[in-house]
Each structure stands twice: as C-alpha cells, then as structure tokens.
Amino acid sequence: MFLFLDYYNLSLFLGGLVALLSGTAVYFNDHRKTENKAWMLLNISTAVWSFGYFGMIISTDTNAALFANWVLHAGAILIPIFYLFFVTALTNTTNAHRGTLVALLPVALFFLYQDTSLAFVRDVFTKGPFVY
C-alpha cells in the first residue's frame, strides 16, 4: 500500500506524535506531580484520537476504517475527562472537583461501551477527498 502524504494525514500523524512526545516529556520530568500525570493522560487520549483519525482517512477497506473509527472515538470520549482532570490538577482544585470527576467516569465507560456497538457508528462511507 502506498501512503499518499497530504495535509490531512500528515497533520494527524504529526499531531499524534507531538502529543505522545509532549505527554512523555512532561511526565518523566516529574512523574510524582498530579498535573504531569493528568497532562500525560490528556496527551495519550489526544494521540489515540489523532492516530485513529489518521488510520481512518488512509484506510482502503471498510473493516480497517471501522476499526480506526472505533479507536478515534475512544480517544475523543476520554479527552474531556482528562482535560478536566488536567485543569483541576493545574489549579490545585482536584479535591474540590473530585465528585464531578468520579461521576464522569461511568459516563465515559458507558460511551466507550457504546463505541464498540453499531449504535455508535453503523458504517463508514466516502466523503469529500477521503475514501472513508
């Protein structure tokens, strides 16, 4: 398979790579800090979304595109929770918002479960310049 590099797939691949590098660098700078852990989780979920989107737009068959779609939605579901966790850690208000963070976990788990079902994404199709 020849991978044609254009703006879309190159930016998604590089975005995922930068997110992984940023999360890793900050985490290993001081892994004991809560905000560094939260930043790493936020960046991992962003990288999962980015790589999933990359995989979807370079897919040449429906099954690969559906799997990549599942991956990108899994990352997208986790981004808001990890963003809130990062903001509360950065502002030293995690304890004050612990109830909200804990209440959002079952919501995220519900959507992650739904992500694997046909209720979330039934099919993929050609749109614009993308095969899927």
Side-chain angles (χ1 to χ4, degrees), residues 1-122:
M1 179 180 92
F2 175 70
L3 176 63
F4 178 70
L5 293 178
D6 63 11
Y7 170 76
Y8 298 110
N9 55 25
L10 184 62
S11 64
L12 287 166
F13 182 77
L14 289 176
L17 200 59
V18 167
L20 283 179
L21 292 173
S22 173
T24 303
V26 169
Y27 177 76
F28 285 114
N29 183 45
D30 187 355
H31 67 276
R32 292 179 303 264
K33 288 180 153 182
T34 304
E35 58 267 26
N36 290 6
K37 293 174 188 174
W39 181 252
M40 182 192 64
L41 291 170
L42 175 60
N43 277 270
I44 287 172
S45 60
T46 302
V48 167
W49 171 84
S50 191
F51 289 138
Y53 207 147
F54 170 77
M56 188 181 66
I57 65 173
I58 66 164
S59 293
T60 56
D61 69 83
T62 305
N63 289 333
L66 281 170
F67 178 76
N69 205 296
W70 172 77
V71 170
L72 81 89
H73 282 103
I77 289 164
L78 295 173
I79 288 172
I81 293 172
F82 291 144
Y83 178 73
L84 179 61
F85 179 42
F86 172 67
V87 169
T88 60
L90 192 63
T91 58
N92 292 320
T93 59
T94 304
N95 288 336
H97 297 284
R98 186 172 306 280
T100 303
L101 289 165
V102 169
L104 288 174
L105 289 176
V107 175
L109 290 175
F110 170 77
F111 281 112
L112 286 171
Y113 174 75
Q114 289 298 315
D115 182 26
T116 61
S117 73
L118 292 177
F120 210 77
V121 175
R122 288 192 196 283

